[in-house]
Amino acid sequence: YTYNSSYYAIQDQLAGPMGSSSKLNNHHIANPKSVKEPSSSSQQSHLNSSDSSRRQPLRTQFTYRLQKELEPFQYTKLPTPRSIRLLAILPDNDGRIRCRMTTIDLDSRRSFIALSYTWGDPLWRGSYPPSPQYQFCDHEIECDGRVLLVHKNLHDALLELRRKITAAVAGSTDAKQEQEVISALRSLRAGAAMTNHREVSKNWATSYIWIDAICINQQDLAERSAQVTIMGDIYRTAQMVAIWLGPNQNQADEAIRVCSILATIPMEHWRQTRYIDSDEAYRRLGIPRITQEQWQAFGTFAQRGWFSRAWILQEAVLAHKHIALYHHHEIDWNNLVLSFNFILTSRWEGEVARLTFEAAGVQRDDRHNRQMMTANCTKIATISRLRKRRRAARNLWSLLTTLRNCVAQNPRDLIYAALGMVEPTVTTIVPDYTKSVAEVFTEAAWAIIDETKNLQLLHFVSDPSKRKVNGLPSWVPDWSARLQPEPLRGEPHGDGDGETESRWYPSGDHRWIRPKASSGSRELVISALLITTVEATTIPFIDTSKPYDLHTMLDLVIQNQASTPRSLSPNSAYNTLWRTLVADTIAQSPAGQIHDHRYMFHHWLIRNLWDICQEHPGDNALIQKTRASLAEFAALDDGWLVPDLDTVDDNFQAMQDESSNVYKTKTYNHTHFTWAMLPRCSWRRLFRTDNGLLGLGCESLRVGDHVVVALGSDVPLVLRPLADRPGAFQFIGQAYVHEIMHGEALALLFETDAEFKDIVLV
């Protein structure tokens, strides 16, 4: 590991109680109480050791000397449930962070600044290699004459805040006033009342600072729970929220410059171009050309860890005023919002993310890049909308969907971070860090059921193979896991206004009634109608950058036509397949109303077979098997939509020339149909049921699973019966099943003895 004590240059001379001046040296200390300078060879040997259990955080000479001199900081109990601690950072010119702490009542209207930052690495480490120096809480500061441990990023933030405080003090109008300031600060360091600090400070130095990692005793679970309960009030009461985005000496200027440029683009021009590297694009937008290096600087900025934090929604929305700090710069919040909204609306996020990752030497597929950039831009847009409303959100459900895929050191905070945005009458959840993560997530699931009065939370249950939390009921969303696959109805971006009505109603107008169960129950009783069981599946759609196993998909439909009593009528096999692949949805609208994609699927089939031939030129068996499947599929259709082999061969001949119109047409239509498939098919697989239905279900779906229509759910559900408990099921995921999405399955109630029955999800 390499270690830097700070991104700032710490003063060469260390004054104060440390005695004689000394320069800082970086080296490893195994025991801070017994300081021994290691030899260069032994130090190098230790750093190269592969035994992770022996790795210790590297420390500066100042660090362990301070730890040796001072006793550890001890917290005293807060006197009331509305009490909070505030920190005063003392202006100074040496390398030591010194501060004093006081306790106030939150309702006393004392002026203070709240700090919003990330505990760990300020860079989002999904994009860049891990940085060991941010992993340890090994930076000491002096608080009330005692030593307190903080992480490096907070230490950097304190240095920047101190720089501003020192600059405010240095702004005194005359030497006499400056001497009064210095005298008062010395008194404060010696233990004088905190009011002295306010009387002599200006601007940044006029306010106390609230910092969660320092002002809350993190080791006291009861105090943590109580403070999180009033966290929303803390950010509402703060006169300003200072957002620390971390250091970046080399790229900060360019990133802020790009923000300012993008903020000048009129909103009516945001959708005028899709190409980031076109001179014509910049001419239309009326802005100077942005270089690749500038885009990389902006992309690095937009991938800062702060944007991925769960708590930022509450911290930024409830603040009366923001100030974002990036290295030594203060960023205009309005420019930040406008630039991120432009990237989101223009759909340039994929290209910006690609440039950023390439600069970092990280290879990721374009869709993953786009998702990460989109999530950050969407979050800022949501914050902007909520701030304009200046009210508590009505909907816990929509806030939690926004917080999905956010980062929190403690998974419980993925729930607790939303509570300050919700009216107390909306939910009865009270932060309690003594509860397990599974208990907290289950309690939140029941709160969502009570709020939405349906089963819409099942949209946000990840595939069983993606879940992380042990002991979580199968029907409860794991908010700490990546949401794969995405919800079939499209992923909502919660803005506090609730969700739009679904256009699907497989259970018709049957009314859903909440089961009688406590908010802590691990079982959910639903009323469901068994429709069918899964008879066959394809392989899942995982790597969409490669050609799909086309013959497996076509064979599923062909075998369905040949072996089931409910055979598809002429021309319907083609329509059923392409509409199932996009879940009958194009850009949130019914696919049947948009005929372009019906014809695009024709080109998609040809180009997919072409890609298979290019990807596997020597696999004649695969190529011939795929051609045979396509020919058999074409025989099911008496029209021209399914290409026969003669049509395929004619197109292949023309596609040898990549500049030809045929090649360009096939590529264009293949790309557009693939983009329509991506949000529906990714991490899902096609399946066929025993009564001839074609559907799209999650990756973990397997033969024998049950497909049901449940009251309160706007899509069919896939359940797996438990062998050791009759009547109980594991929830596997949601499904799109063509031809039963609008209540058609209810005919079974009249044609057979089928009925809705109560079943238990565990």
Side-chain angles (χ1 to χ4, degrees):
Y1 296 161
T2 57
Y3 174 84
N4 294 315
S5 59
S6 162
Y7 72 94
Y8 298 115
I10 297 182
Q11 301 293 326
D12 285 343
Q13 302 298 320
L14 295 179
M18 293 175 62
S20 59
S21 299
S22 172
K23 289 190 176 182
L24 295 180
N25 297 307
N26 290 342
H27 61 271
H28 171 262
I29 294 299
N31 182 359
K33 299 298 184 181
S34 176
V35 179
K36 183 179 180 180
E37 184 77 26
S39 66
S40 59
S41 60
S42 64
Q43 182 182 15
Q44 186 64 36
S45 174
H46 176 81
L47 294 178
N48 291 337
S49 171
S50 61
D51 183 0
S52 60
S53 65
R54 293 172 54 197
R55 293 174 184 165
Q56 300 291 334
L58 302 180
R59 298 171 183 269
T60 64
Q61 187 179 46
F62 167 71
T63 292
Y64 54 77
R65 183 173 290 186
L66 176 61
Q67 187 182 48
K68 185 175 180 181
E69 292 177 359
L70 303 178
E71 294 295 325
F73 182 83
Q74 298 292 327
Y75 286 92
T76 57
K77 188 175 179 61
L78 291 171
T80 71
R82 299 282 293 176
S83 295
I84 63 171
R85 300 183 185 93
L86 296 178
L87 200 69
I89 305 174
L90 307 184
D92 221 327
N93 63 353
D94 64 20
R96 179 177 299 187
I97 295 290
R98 296 185 178 91
C99 55
R100 291 192 62 81
M101 192 178 289
T102 188
T103 300
I104 68 164
D105 189 278
L106 187 56
D107 300 320
S108 65
R109 298 188 179 277
R110 179 72 63 88
S111 176
F112 66 92
I113 293 172
L115 181 66
S116 177
Y117 68 107
T118 180
W119 279 36
D121 198 329
L123 281 175
W124 189 71
R125 287 301 164 187
S127 309
Y128 296 86
S131 180
Q133 59 186 329
Y134 289 99
Q135 295 178 3
F136 305 105
C137 187
D138 65 344
H139 282 59
E140 283 103 336
I141 65 172
E142 182 183 331
C143 184
D144 291 339
R146 292 173 178 260
V147 64
L148 190 65
L149 293 172
V150 298
H151 284 83
K152 172 174 167 51
N153 191 46
L154 178 52
H155 191 267
D156 290 346
L158 292 170
L159 285 169
E160 178 62 19
L161 293 172
R162 187 183 67 175
R163 190 181 74 86
K164 292 188 173 296
I165 291 171
T166 302
V169 172
S172 302
T173 56
D174 54 52
K176 180 179 178 182
Q177 188 175 14
E178 184 172 343
Q179 288 301 315
E180 291 175 354
V181 169
I182 295 173
S183 176
L185 290 173
R186 286 174 177 167
S187 299
L188 178 58
R189 188 181 302 168
M194 291 288 288
T195 51
N196 291 342
H197 184 59
R198 293 192 68 194
E199 292 169 358
V200 299
S201 303
K202 296 180 180 180
N203 301 324
W204 280 89
T206 59
S207 295
Y208 304 127
I209 301 174
W210 184 85
I211 304 173
D212 58 355
I214 297 177
C215 297
I216 299 175
N217 182 359
Q218 300 295 328
Q219 304 305 314
D220 186 338
L221 294 183
E223 179 178 307
R224 279 173 59 189
S225 300
Q227 291 281 285
V228 169
T229 301
I230 62 172
M231 195 83 79
D233 291 338
I234 291 174
Y235 282 95
R236 286 188 188 94
T237 305
Q239 71 176 52
M240 181 175 71
V241 170
I243 298 169
W244 172 244
L245 298 174
N248 191 337
Q249 184 173 357
N250 298 326
Q251 295 182 310
D253 291 340
E254 294 298 340
I256 294 172
R257 184 174 291 111
V258 173
C259 272
S260 301
I261 291 173
L262 298 181
T264 65
I265 302 174
M267 293 179 65
E268 58 269 22
H269 295 168
W270 284 3
R271 296 182 182 272
Q272 286 192 359
T273 180
R274 292 284 303 279
Y275 302 101
I276 199 171
D277 57 352
S278 164
D279 290 332
E280 177 65 16
Y282 292 101
R283 188 190 66 78
R284 288 184 179 182
L285 296 174
I287 60 174
R289 185 177 182 88
I290 298 173
T291 67
Q292 181 171 343
E293 291 73 20
Q294 288 176 320
W295 278 123
Q296 290 169 354
F298 176 82
T300 301
F301 165 72
Q303 296 284 351
R304 304 303 282 187
W306 183 84
F307 296 107
S308 300
R309 290 182 60 242
W311 286 101
I312 70 166
L313 194 67
Q314 176 174 269
E315 294 167 357
V317 169
L318 299 181
H320 290 293
K321 178 183 177 183
H322 299 104
I323 184 166
L325 306 175
Y326 188 35
H327 198 61
H328 291 322
H329 301 274
E330 296 182 7
I331 302 176
D332 183 278
W333 179 261
N334 190 54
N335 283 355
L336 177 66
V337 171
L338 289 173
S339 61
F340 276 42
N341 275 338
F342 166 76
I343 294 296
L344 191 65
T345 306
S346 65
R347 301 181 70 180
W348 281 14
E349 66 269 33
E351 280 296 293
V352 174
R354 180 183 60 80
L355 292 173
T356 306
F357 287 120
E358 287 179 356
V362 177
Q363 297 297 321
R364 288 180 180 271
D365 65 85
D366 288 343
R367 185 160 189 262
H368 190 67
N369 297 349
R370 178 186 293 271
Q371 285 176 333
M372 289 183 290
M373 185 69 74
T374 299
N376 288 350
C377 292
T378 300
K379 213 167 299 168
I380 295 301
T382 299
I383 289 171
S384 177
R385 288 195 298 270
L386 285 171
R387 279 184 59 77
K388 288 178 181 179
R389 292 180 175 88
R390 303 299 298 177
R391 59 168 175 77
R394 296 191 300 258
N395 197 321
L396 174 66
W397 157 242
S398 60
L399 289 172
L400 290 180
T401 62
T402 300
L403 292 173
R404 190 63 181 263
N405 296 329
C406 285
V407 176
Q409 279 201 335
N410 190 320
R412 300 167 184 83
D413 289 338
L414 296 170
I415 304 300
Y416 296 157
L419 298 183
M421 298 288 298
V422 183
E423 292 286 1
T425 56
V426 172
T427 179
T428 59
I429 298 176
V430 176
D432 184 353
Y433 286 91
T434 65
K435 291 182 177 180
S436 69
V437 176
E439 288 176 312
V440 173
F441 284 6
T442 301
E443 186 178 17
W446 280 109
I448 292 170
I449 288 175
D450 289 336
E451 182 180 83
T452 61
K453 296 178 173 53
N454 55 39
L455 298 178
Q456 297 308 303
L457 87 158
L458 297 180
H459 279 290
F460 286 84
V461 177
S462 299
D463 185 275
S465 65
K466 313 299 180 186
R467 292 156 73 84
K468 297 179 179 179
V469 177
N470 294 327
L472 196 65
S474 65
W475 56 274
V476 174
D478 183 350
W479 299 98
S480 67
R482 186 172 181 83
L483 183 57
Q484 290 176 336
E486 294 180 11
L488 278 169
R489 62 191 295 211
E491 183 168 2
H493 302 301
D495 61 1
D497 286 336
E499 304 302 330
T500 58
E501 290 293 325
S502 172
R503 61 186 177 84
W504 292 322
Y505 45 93
S507 60
D509 57 0
H510 284 69
R511 188 174 171 219
W512 180 79
I513 301 177
R514 184 202 190 278
K516 295 180 180 178
S518 66
S519 60
S521 175
R522 295 175 52 82
E523 297 183 350
L524 175 64
V525 179
I526 64 173
S527 182
L529 176 66
L530 174 62
I531 303 300
T532 184
T533 58
V534 176
E535 183 181 68
T537 73
T538 65
I539 62 174
F541 295 83
I542 303 296
D543 188 354
T544 54
S545 65
K546 296 183 180 299
Y548 186 66
D549 188 4
L550 191 59
H551 82 90
T552 304
M553 178 179 71
L554 297 177
D555 285 352
L556 193 75
V557 179
I558 295 167
Q559 293 167 11
N560 179 69
Q561 176 77 3
S563 63
T564 62
R566 186 187 173 282
S567 60
L568 299 173
S569 59
N571 291 315
S572 64
Y574 178 90
N575 288 325
T576 298
L577 179 56
W578 83 260
R579 290 174 71 169
T580 300
L581 287 171
V582 297
D584 201 25
T585 305
I586 304 293
Q588 307 302 324
S589 299
Q593 299 176 5
I594 305 175
H595 297 294
D596 288 349
H597 285 75
R598 180 188 179 197
Y599 304 116
M600 284 180 180
F601 185 53
H602 168 92
H603 300 285
W604 184 88
L605 289 168
I606 296 174
R607 178 56 196 265
N608 201 285
L609 179 54
W610 168 270
D611 289 340
I612 290 173
C613 296
Q614 301 300 312
E615 185 89 7
H616 307 281
D619 194 342
N620 290 329
L622 173 63
I623 294 173
Q624 292 305 318
K625 186 162 44 176
T626 306
R627 287 174 61 89
S629 295
L630 184 59
E632 195 170 353
F633 183 62
L636 300 178
D637 190 286
D638 59 1
W640 64 271
L641 286 173
V642 182
D644 57 29
L645 293 184
D646 289 339
T647 302
V648 169
D649 291 338
D650 290 343
N651 277 271
F652 277 17
Q653 186 65 33
M655 289 170 67
Q656 298 293 333
D657 179 7
E658 294 187 3
S659 64
S660 67
N661 289 332
V662 173
Y663 183 88
K664 292 178 180 179
T665 299
K666 296 296 178 288
T667 301
Y668 174 87
N669 287 287
H670 177 272
T671 300
H672 279 262
F673 192 83
T674 298
W675 276 108
M677 286 173 56
L678 280 176
R680 316 302 170 195
C681 283
S682 294
W683 307 102
R684 287 191 172 94
R685 65 172 81 222
L686 286 171
F687 67 89
R688 186 183 69 240
T689 69
D690 61 2
N691 62 348
L693 296 172
L694 192 65
L696 193 62
C698 67
E699 180 185 0
S700 292
L701 174 145
R702 68 189 186 198
V703 173
D705 287 342
H706 291 195
V707 179
V708 305
V709 166
L711 301 184
S713 175
D714 57 359
V715 292
L717 308 178
V718 177
L719 310 179
R720 185 168 298 159
L722 300 182
D724 58 349
R725 186 177 171 185
F729 293 80
Q730 176 189 358
F731 177 74
I732 302 301
Q734 297 180 315
Y736 172 87
V737 184
H738 198 65
E739 298 184 65
I740 68 166
M741 301 301 291
H742 300 284
E744 297 92 337
L746 297 182
L748 293 174
L749 297 175
F750 306 102
E751 298 172 358
T752 68
D753 58 354
E755 61 180 348
F756 280 94
K757 296 180 179 180
D758 287 348
I759 60 176
V760 180
L761 301 184
V762 296

